[in-house]
Amino acid sequence: MYSYGIVNRGEHPIVAKIQISPNRHDFADDVEEVIDSGATLALVPVRFLYYARVAVRAEDPDQSSMVDVYFQARTVA
C-alpha cells in the first residue's frame, strides 16, 4: 500500500497525477487532481502495477509553482 503526499507551496494551482507501468517504459494515467495554492493532497492509486511515478505541471502553462512530493508506503501483513 502506498500513497503520495503533494504540497503546493506556490501561488498557482497545479495538476498532479499518478502514472503506473508494468515495465518502466509504458505508463498509463491512473489518478489526476488539481491542487490549489497552499493546499496539501494525498494521491492514492486506484489500480496497481509494479512501477509508479508522479507527474506534476502548472494548471496554467504561463504560471509556475513550487511543489513538495512525499512518498509513503507500508506493507500489509
Side-chain angles (χ1 to χ4, degrees), residues 23-42:
N23 59 14
R24 261 189 340 183
H25 301 287
D26 304 304
F27 281 88
D29 293 344
D30 187 54
V31 176
E32 182 175 303
E33 295 285 339
V34 174
I35 305 171
D36 291 328
S37 172
T40 300
L41 183 74

Side-chain angles (χ1 to χ4, degrees), residues 1-2 20-21 30 45-51:
M1 181 183 307
Y2 63 94
I20 57 175
S21 170
D30 187 54
V46 174
R47 296 171 220 37
F48 175 81
L49 285 175
Y50 193 76
Y51 298 95

Side-chain angles (χ1 to χ4, degrees), residues 45-65:
V46 174
R47 296 171 220 37
F48 175 81
L49 285 175
Y50 193 76
Y51 298 95
R53 67 184 181 190
V54 175
V56 179
R57 65 173 173 81
E59 186 176 43
D60 179 349
D62 295 329
Q63 305 289 338
S64 63
S65 201

